Amino acid sequence: MRTRSLAASGLGFEIFRHAVLGLGAVLMLAPFVIMVSVSLKSSGEIFSPEFSLLPKQWHAWQNYADAFTKQPLARYILNGFIVTGAIFTCQLLTALPCAYALAKLRWRGKETMFLLVLLGLLIPPQVTAIPLYILLWQLGLLNSYAAVILPSTISVFGIFLLRQFFLTVPDDLINAARLDGLGEFAIVWRIMMPTAMPAVVAFGVLSLVWNWNEFFWPLIVIQSEHLATPPLGVVYFANAEAGTNYGPLMAAATAITAPLVIAFLAAQRWFIDGVTMTAVK
Amino acid sequence: MSDLALPMAGAATGRRRRAAGEAAEQMAAWVLAGPAFVLIWIMLLGPTVAVFVLSFTDWTFGMPEIAWAGLANYREMAADEVFWKTLRNTLAYVAFVVPLSVFLGLGAAILIEAGTSLRGFYRAAFFLPVVSTLLAMALVFQFAFHPTVGAINLTLAFLGLPTTDWLKNPDTALFALGVIGIWQAIGLSMVLFVAGLKAIPRDLYEAAAVDGADGAFERFRRVTWPMLGPATLFVVTITAIRAFQVFDTVQVLTDGGPNKSTNVLLFQMYQEGFSFLRSAYAAALTVVFLGFVLLVTVIQVKLQERHTHYG
């Protein structure tokens, strides 16, 4: 009996596959290439009618220097790290214990709690914007780091993801830990968290990507330049330069996109696993 | 007697100990889940209830007084031409972005998985837009859409196709934003389809081959496509919900214009709520937005139920 290859085979098909996917990849990557290319050119060259990938005269140094000196771009990027770091820490501190209780403990109120998590998953973040804005206004917290961080301190998505993962952890592991005299808190942080590392990392990168790129909420609550998150900073930049000075603008865009792109390329598998994990509901 | 009493006493203390253990477990569970419980109410569910209640009042931001207004906001909305245009724009955007990004993501996933070479590279290339900062990329697209020096018009002119100022032309602006939306959505749909493809048992293809299903198309029609049903449903739902949330590109590139042609639900909610400070009216717009998102979810759940009945 002849074993058939399951993948479509043949040289003709391989050429077709690479032709189509190659064209697709070029189109998907083109904006990144244009961004970097423009960030290297002088404005004269940017507005010349013929486009070339590399500049005839390198203007990279001036563009990047402008990007970092005309606006506090380094500050925006630092803010991005502060905000995303604080948010993920809070999300993990609340989600891990809750997910453990939902997956492994028997208690009255468990079904209700899980229902609340599922309800939370249905609500897009923009829905809560007006009441949360009013709440932060009454607390006098508008235009502060707290205003950006507080609404994201809870992640129902994180609870859900970690719970799904914890369900696959054998009960024997937890019982053994209890026999060793560990309390429930110690079990969460010393047994469950290390076991759930793949899920925690996947959740972490998704949280980082989401909050680094978030524009809607910071746009609403932040007015001061020194508190701006990266996307907001780029908008300040675009407005200040009135949309004509593309070289430094693209340099700024490159600078705020770079941390995530580098993180993605380094931890690609985690990102993709994280996304697919959410699909396996 | 004592022989009999001892095990009974042992059982009693055992039961008592178990009861104590259960009480401790209850306590522990509440302490562990408590912070999340409180935050879910303060940050998510409470505000959702509040937005619903607020939509039936007349409150504008900063006013000391608040009064019940019944359906006044919704009546104003129904009588407002701008609202209907906004709704049409939003639905047109969703109808443009969802099928194309799902179809292109599916095609990419199948082609990537059909061979063995360069899989990782293609997956990364298609997924990169998902993780990039949409706001920064929107500015790149603005440059690419530039009427005279933009890559898009230069390419179209080179091919002898018609060009226009895509973002300033009321007939094309919404679709120009849609192109950015599709560009960003393809990668997510591709990755979810790849996961779906990997979940298809290989023996199904062998069985199909025994049944005489030869050729790539037959295998796709008889095995791949039916088995991808649940994944497709999920991808369509996620993509649709994300398309309803379009905001960044509108705010930065077109500001709802030209001539309101890119005014979408969330953008109007943002303007009413945070530029004009009409909180109650913006809350009513939020309720409409939430209604659409929930509708998409309900349709998904219903279709999924039907699917599992057949399965």
Side-chain angles (χ1 to χ4, degrees):
Chain A
M1 214 172 93
R2 194 164 59 101
T3 49
R4 322 181 86 257
S5 157
L6 294 174
S9 52
L11 188 64
F13 177 78
E14 270 300 292
I15 292 171
F16 169 76
R17 175 173 173 266
H18 285 300
V20 175
L21 288 177
L23 179 68
V26 166
L27 289 175
M28 297 305 272
L29 297 178
F32 298 100
V33 174
I34 293 175
M35 176 172 76
V36 176
S37 167
V38 171
S39 79
L40 306 175
K41 294 177 181 171
S42 66
S43 67
E45 218 174 312
I46 292 166
F47 286 101
S48 93
E50 72 234 54
F51 182 85
S52 69
L53 221 48
L54 289 175
K56 292 189 196 75
Q57 271 187 319
W58 286 75
H59 211 257
W61 172 249
Q62 292 91 322
N63 285 341
Y64 282 87
D66 273 3
F68 278 91
T69 51
K70 284 192 175 176
Q71 292 269 319
L73 191 59
R75 178 67 195 243
Y76 301 150
I77 292 171
L78 178 69
N79 287 343
F81 284 113
I82 292 173
V83 166
T84 51
I87 287 176
F88 180 62
T89 308
C90 295
Q91 287 179 342
L92 200 61
L93 285 175
T94 52
L96 256 174
C98 180
Y100 167 70
L102 282 174
K104 291 295 172 195
L105 299 179
R106 279 162 305 160
W107 45 298
R108 255 171 286 131
K110 181 168 154 176
E111 273 76 35
T112 317
M113 185 69 204
F114 190 54
L115 187 71
L116 294 185
V117 171
L118 293 181
L119 274 177
L121 281 173
L122 292 177
I123 300 167
Q126 301 91 346
V127 167
T128 56
I130 296 167
L132 285 177
Y133 184 78
I134 298 167
L135 180 71
L136 291 167
W137 167 63
Q138 290 197 322
L139 296 173
L141 287 174
L142 287 179
N143 200 27
S144 69
Y145 283 127
V148 184
I149 294 165
L150 280 176
S152 300
T153 46
I154 183 78
S155 168
V156 278
F157 162 73
I159 297 175
F160 187 85
L161 184 74
L162 293 170
R163 173 190 172 268
Q164 297 301 90
F165 195 91
F166 286 162
L167 287 176
T168 65
V169 175
D171 285 337
D172 290 346
L173 186 69
I174 297 159
N175 288 332
R178 284 195 189 120
L179 285 179
D180 285 348
L182 256 64
E184 301 295 321
F185 277 99
I187 290 175
V188 169
W189 299 110
R190 284 169 48 193
I191 309 288
M192 296 308 270
M193 187 162 100
T195 316
M197 239 3 179
V200 170
V201 174
F203 171 40
V205 287
L206 290 171
S207 170
L208 168 75
V209 169
W210 173 256
N211 290 301
W212 184 274
N213 293 337
E214 172 65 7
F215 176 60
F216 183 80
W217 182 249
L219 176 73
I220 290 169
V221 292
I222 295 298
Q223 269 86 45
S224 309
E225 207 170 63
H226 69 280
L227 292 172
T229 56
L232 205 52
V234 171
V235 168
Y236 288 166
F237 202 105
N239 292 343
E241 301 297 310
T244 49
N245 218 345
Y246 275 110
L249 181 61
M250 290 299 117
T254 307
I256 76 142
T257 310
L260 275 193
V261 168
I262 291 166
F264 166 68
L265 293 176
Q268 228 193 94
R269 208 164 58 81
W270 297 117
F271 278 91
I272 293 182
D273 284 355
V275 172
T276 45
M277 238 188 269
T278 67
V280 191
K281 278 196 186 178
Chain B
M1 277 293 273
S2 62
D3 282 15
L4 212 77
L6 264 177
M8 288 216 2
T13 47
R15 209 178 306 130
R16 217 175 299 132
R17 201 177 300 146
R18 215 174 305 127
E22 273 167 28
E25 193 167 335
Q26 293 273 348
M27 265 304 286
W30 271 110
V31 172
L32 292 171
F37 178 82
V38 172
L39 282 176
I40 286 177
W41 273 111
I42 297 179
M43 300 301 173
L44 270 173
L45 300 177
T48 305
V49 174
V51 97
F52 194 69
V53 173
L54 191 62
S55 76
F56 294 104
T57 70
D58 68 350
W59 196 64
T60 55
F61 187 80
M63 293 285 285
E65 309 231 336
I66 183 166
W68 195 252
L71 290 170
N73 290 315
Y74 293 95
R75 248 183 254 123
E76 182 185 339
M77 203 187 286
D80 182 8
E81 262 174 57
V82 174
F83 168 73
W84 290 109
K85 187 157 193 183
T86 300
L87 200 57
R88 273 198 303 277
N89 288 342
T90 313
L91 294 175
Y93 181 89
V94 172
F96 177 58
V97 168
V98 174
L100 278 170
S101 42
V102 171
F103 177 76
L104 293 172
L106 176 64
I110 288 174
L111 277 182
I112 289 171
E113 294 302 302
T116 47
S117 49
L118 290 177
R119 269 191 199 181
F121 167 74
Y122 288 133
R123 250 183 257 155
F126 281 80
F127 197 72
L128 199 55
V130 182
V131 298
S132 66
T133 307
L134 181 58
L135 206 276
M137 300 321 286
L139 295 168
V140 180
F141 271 96
Q142 183 177 42
F143 179 73
F145 279 119
H146 193 283
T148 52
V149 298
I152 289 167
N153 271 357
L154 288 180
T155 312
L156 291 175
F158 180 74
L159 297 172
L161 295 166
T163 61
T164 178
D165 192 348
W166 300 96
L167 289 166
K168 297 259 166 62
N169 181 342
D171 295 328
T172 59
L174 190 66
F175 296 98
L177 297 185
V179 166
I180 307 176
I182 292 167
W183 173 80
Q184 222 218 357
I186 288 176
L188 186 61
S189 120
M190 177 273 295
V191 163
L192 296 174
F193 276 124
V194 166
L197 285 171
K198 289 211 164 132
I200 299 175
R202 305 206 105 205
D203 16 328
L204 281 182
Y205 289 103
E206 273 153 28
V210 170
D211 286 352
D214 285 340
F217 180 74
E218 270 297 289
R219 281 202 302 271
F220 176 77
R221 195 179 65 84
R222 293 230 225 149
V223 182
T224 315
W225 181 240
M227 289 302 285
L228 277 182
T232 309
L233 193 57
F234 184 72
V235 174
V236 170
T237 310
I238 292 265
T239 317
I241 289 176
R242 286 169 65 107
F244 268 109
Q245 297 182 22
V246 58
F247 174 81
D248 299 14
T249 48
V250 176
Q251 152 76 18
V252 178
L253 298 188
T254 63
D255 209 23
N259 198 14
K260 301 265 179 217
S261 63
T262 58
N263 217 44
V264 288
L265 265 178
L266 265 190
F267 182 70
Q268 214 202 342
M269 182 273 251
Y270 165 78
Q271 278 203 316
E272 294 286 352
F274 301 101
S275 301
F276 311 144
L277 300 179
R278 299 179 61 208
S279 307
Y281 188 69
L285 287 167
T286 311
V287 171
V288 172
F289 164 72
L290 180 61
F292 275 104
V293 171
L294 293 182
L295 183 68
V296 171
T297 313
V298 168
I299 292 173
Q300 186 216 4
V301 170
K302 287 284 167 211
L303 287 176
Q304 205 169 26
E305 272 169 12
R306 201 193 295 168
H307 193 90
T308 40
H309 284 311
Y310 286 130

